[in-house]
Amino acid sequence: MSVPEQYSLNLPGIERETLDVDVLLIGAGAANLACAIHLQRQLAARGITDKSILVLEKAGEIGDHTLSGAVMNPRGISELFPDWRERGCPIESDVRWDAVEILYSKDGSKRLKGPLVPPQFQNHGNVIVSMNQVVRWLKEQAEAVGVQVYPGFAAAEILFEQKDGVERVAGVVTRDSGIDKHGQQKHSFQPGMNVRAAVTVFGEGTRGHLAKHLIRRHGLDAGRNPQMYGTGIKEIWEIPAERGAEWLGGVLHTAGHPLSLNGYGGSWIYGLKDNRLSLGFVIGLDHPDAKLDPHALFVQWKQHPAIARILEGGKVLAYGAKTVPEGGYWCMPRLYGESYCLVGDTAGFLNASTLKGVHLAIKSGLLAAEAIAEALHFGDTGAARLKRYEELFSASWAKDELYGVRNFRQSFEGGLLGGMLDVPFQQLTGGRGLVERRKNHKDHETMHPVHLSRLEKPAFDDKGSMDKLTDVYHSGTTHEEDQPAHLLVKDPSICIERCTREFGNPCQHFCPAAVYEWREGGTAKGPVINFSNCVHCKTCDIADPYENIEWVVPEGGGGPKYVNL
Ligand code: SF4
């Protein structure tokens, strides 16, 4: 058994205890929890009752790191639990009305309602949810069928071993805790654990830090497009009661301001219970501007009169950010390998045209569970058996849905015009459009030199236009301060000697949590990393123009504490 060289803050040469399980799931999101529940049922149906299933989650509590819009298409949860409503799956509201607001200038807008709402924004039959409430509920459902769920355990490294001349995934090593900022053991040092499994399922969420290495190491993206990401910024607001009632169950999407034609993105406002609103803004990370600042765009959007009117008299309750895998079908990696599967956001199960992924994430978990149950039944968890997962996907409605919009996001690379021209053809040709398969770049390759930047910062205030640090306070983010920074700058000389000149150190702009500051002045010149602010969105790992930043997992339990996000 070997631990390969990879980015991890675990100490080398430490003796570690080993825990053996049959199936190990990394990340307690919707995809993995659905997978664990369905797997238990599938095994029981085959008369197999002696298999152990363990879910590890880096957050201190299940749901603390979960963030989504979210309007949920109930198709996935209905397959997991046909009686999901009766079982008490928490929902904020059924969707009662839809609208789209075109913000055609800095202060002009036009609202489209009823039949004028484009089909992909019509949400009749869908439900508004808080995904961190939903995953907390899914955790209870999983535990009720015998799945073990351990929060506070961060998976730091993948265990690989050779079997019959083939490298297989044998489990993970969890993160050591009690290492000080200089990399030395503290009195509280607790070594991580080897957790070995017959099958490991990576459902780490978007840009999974272990899946990223696995995809590269095993070439799971060979022949696929690189994944395209957006960064989503979200707040929960409380608004005056007289307006809250009319918003309950409302779904508003906006397009336009503050984006110009060279950026792909948009926003949402969803009406929740108790006079609260979920609001957010997603911007594609293929935006060419080196000063792209998703949080600043979000603030500028809130300052548009049409949005400011909605928020007037309200106050912010919560804040968060995450990246979203937008690329769709062509960007999905191979879903399986020797003793492992990839599910959910980690595998790119998201339909960017409808802004929905929860139903696809759950479906991916269900399909993986069926393949894993079959593999365990035959006592063979090799790639040839787990290939069944990809076959099941190919025969599923999830594949049909994703294939039907396969060129959607790619057609917007380089600006809105390409997509606006091609999407009508895509709708007429079952997703094909003008070419069968559109290519795309890695997001960071699309950044233009800083002297071409046109983006500006908004004016902040303490009413609705909070700066990043004020917003981070509302995310509940904390990390143990005396530990090594979990944002690794591979070569700081690139920051100083090239990035300053070429791109103006974009990390100080694109991070939505003010983690990166640029320090000028003699020998002290360079990036300052306030890692304790990090909300684990992964934007820096994706958007750095030299791929010079590596996000690695901090001690378990650190990070945001999202409530109702
Ligand atoms: Fe996101 Fe990176 Fe900033 Fe953390 S440091 S909040 S992962 S951009």
Side-chain angles (χ1 to χ4, degrees):
M1 183 171 65
S2 69
V3 178
E5 185 190 341
Q6 59 179 263
Y7 291 104
S8 162
L9 293 171
N10 273 3
L11 296 180
I14 297 289
E15 199 165 312
R16 303 175 190 283
E17 290 184 6
T18 296
L19 174 67
D20 286 296
V21 297
D22 292 291
V23 180
L24 173 64
L25 301 102
I26 308 302
N32 259 356
L33 290 169
C35 181
I37 294 165
H38 194 52
L39 177 59
Q40 196 71 297
R41 292 194 301 223
Q42 289 280 306
L43 291 172
R46 293 168 185 271
I48 302 171
T49 56
D50 61 345
K51 301 297 182 194
S52 51
I53 304 173
L54 173 64
V55 182
L56 296 182
E57 166 58 44
K58 65 181 167 65
E61 297 292 339
I62 303 304
D64 280 0
H65 292 184
T66 302
L67 178 151
S68 185
V71 170
M72 180 172 76
N73 175 338
R75 192 166 188 180
I77 195 94
S78 302
E79 288 193 13
L80 177 62
F81 293 122
D83 59 345
W84 58 282
R85 283 185 191 262
E86 294 74 24
R87 279 173 178 262
C89 176
I91 66 168
E92 291 286 343
S93 175
D94 290 280
V95 174
R96 287 176 47 233
W97 57 263
D98 282 305
V100 169
E101 190 117 16
I102 308 297
L103 308 179
Y104 57 78
S105 70
K106 206 173 170 189
D107 48 17
S109 64
K110 176 73 184 165
R111 190 173 286 200
L112 309 177
K113 299 181 192 168
L116 294 177
V117 175
Q120 65 270 31
F121 291 118
Q122 291 178 7
N123 282 286
H124 181 74
N126 294 333
V127 289
I128 302 172
V129 295
S130 149
M131 276 313 290
N132 58 26
Q133 287 179 12
V134 171
V135 299
R136 283 177 186 134
W137 177 79
L138 283 172
K139 176 233 183 196
E140 290 169 13
Q141 306 302 307
E143 288 180 331
V145 295
V147 173
Q148 292 180 292
V149 184
Y150 290 179
F153 284 82
E157 297 171 6
I158 301 172
L159 287 170
F160 292 99
E161 69 180 15
Q162 295 291 322
K163 189 177 178 192
D164 302 328
V166 177
E167 181 176 271
R168 68 178 286 270
V169 169
V172 301
V173 189
T174 63
R175 174 75 158 74
D176 296 339
S177 63
I179 304 173
D180 72 16
K181 58 188 171 194
H182 304 296
Q184 303 298 316
Q185 293 185 20
K186 296 188 279 191
H187 290 305
S188 57
F189 180 74
Q190 288 284 336
M193 209 175 17
N194 294 327
V195 186
R196 291 176 49 84
V199 182
T200 304
V201 185
F202 295 90
E204 307 171 90
T206 178
R207 188 73 158 193
H209 68 285
L210 295 181
K212 176 180 142 178
H213 287 284
L214 189 58
I215 289 167
R216 189 182 298 156
R217 184 179 173 101
H218 287 182
L220 303 182
D221 55 355
R224 322 282 167 118
N225 288 12
Q227 184 56 271
M228 305 176 79
Y229 293 91
T231 291
I233 310 289
K234 177 175 176 181
E235 287 177 346
I236 301 288
W237 277 62
E238 183 178 56
I239 58 170
E242 62 272 18
R243 299 207 307 277
E246 95 194 36
W247 266 97
L248 179 62
V251 170
L252 175 71
H253 290 105
T254 80
H257 179 83
L259 296 178
S260 57
L261 286 176
N262 62 356
Y264 172 84
S267 73
W268 75 84
I269 302 181
Y270 304 149
L272 313 178
K273 289 176 188 162
D274 304 324
N275 309 312
R276 290 169 304 127
L277 299 178
S278 156
L279 51 132
F281 192 94
V282 183
I283 177 73
L285 292 177
D286 56 343
H287 196 292
D289 199 298
K291 291 186 180 172
L292 178 72
D293 182 337
H295 178 271
L297 290 171
F298 176 63
V299 170
Q300 287 164 336
W301 170 76
K302 286 189 295 181
Q303 290 172 340
H304 190 286
I307 308 304
R309 266 195 303 275
I310 295 168
L311 302 179
E312 195 175 355
K315 63 175 181 186
V316 70
L317 303 177
Y319 171 81
K322 70 169 278 196
T323 47
V324 184
E326 296 180 335
Y329 184 79
W330 298 126
C331 299
M332 294 172 75
R334 198 174 83 212
L335 302 177
Y336 65 95
E338 292 292 333
S339 304
Y340 64 87
C341 298
L342 310 181
V343 298
D345 275 359
T346 295
F349 278 87
L350 185 124
N351 181 344
S353 79
T354 59
L355 306 170
K356 288 184 185 58
V358 177
H359 64 302
L360 293 163
I362 292 175
K363 182 66 174 174
S364 73
L366 300 181
L367 298 173
E370 287 169 26
I372 294 166
E374 199 173 292
L376 291 173
H377 174 78
F378 286 106
D380 172 8
T381 58
R385 279 281 171 206
L386 292 176
K387 188 177 182 204
R388 180 85 182 119
Y389 169 31
E390 194 133 326
E391 291 166 357
L392 290 167
F393 167 62
S394 294
S396 73
W397 56 259
K399 188 256 178 167
D400 292 344
E401 178 177 335
L402 290 167
Y403 192 70
V405 291
R406 59 192 176 282
N407 284 318
F408 177 81
R409 182 61 183 86
Q410 282 73 17
S411 63
F412 287 96
E413 191 186 61
L416 288 186
L417 279 180
M420 287 160 71
L421 288 173
D422 198 38
V423 166
F425 289 104
Q426 292 172 21
Q427 288 169 342
L428 289 172
T429 55
R432 181 187 187 278
L434 294 174
V435 293
E436 173 51 28
R437 178 176 175 178
R438 284 183 172 268
K439 296 287 173 59
N440 60 269
H441 297 84
K442 290 182 177 180
D443 291 321
H444 74 269
E445 293 171 350
T446 61
M447 190 180 287
H448 289 174
V450 67
H451 71 269
L452 298 175
S453 172
R454 296 288 175 269
L455 289 176
E456 293 175 357
K457 303 290 185 200
F460 298 107
D461 60 38
D462 58 1
K463 299 188 183 79
S465 302
M466 285 73 67
D467 63 17
K468 287 182 188 176
L469 285 178
T470 309
D471 258 334
V472 171
Y473 168 78
H474 291 291
S475 71
T477 299
T478 56
H479 291 86
E480 164 59 49
E481 299 267 351
D482 187 15
Q483 64 173 313
H486 65 279
L487 292 317
L488 306 185
V489 178
K490 296 179 213 171
D491 181 354
S493 72
I494 291 179
C495 309
I496 298 166
E497 289 161 20
R498 289 187 60 194
C499 193
T500 303
R501 179 167 34 89
E502 294 172 352
F503 296 107
N505 304 110
C507 56
Q508 60 188 320
H509 304 294
F510 58 57
C511 171
V515 167
Y516 300 95
E517 284 179 76
W518 189 251
R519 183 174 49 196
E520 291 288 350
T523 53
K525 183 175 177 177
V528 177
I529 300 175
N530 305 304
F531 73 87
S532 57
N533 290 353
C534 175
V535 296
H536 297 199
C537 74
K538 315 285 181 67
T539 302
C540 52
D541 194 278
I542 297 161
D544 182 79
Y546 307 95
E547 298 185 274
N548 198 27
I549 299 175
E550 186 86 16
W551 189 98
V552 302
V553 78
E555 281 187 9
K561 290 197 169 33
Y562 291 148
V563 179
N564 297 325
L565 278 157

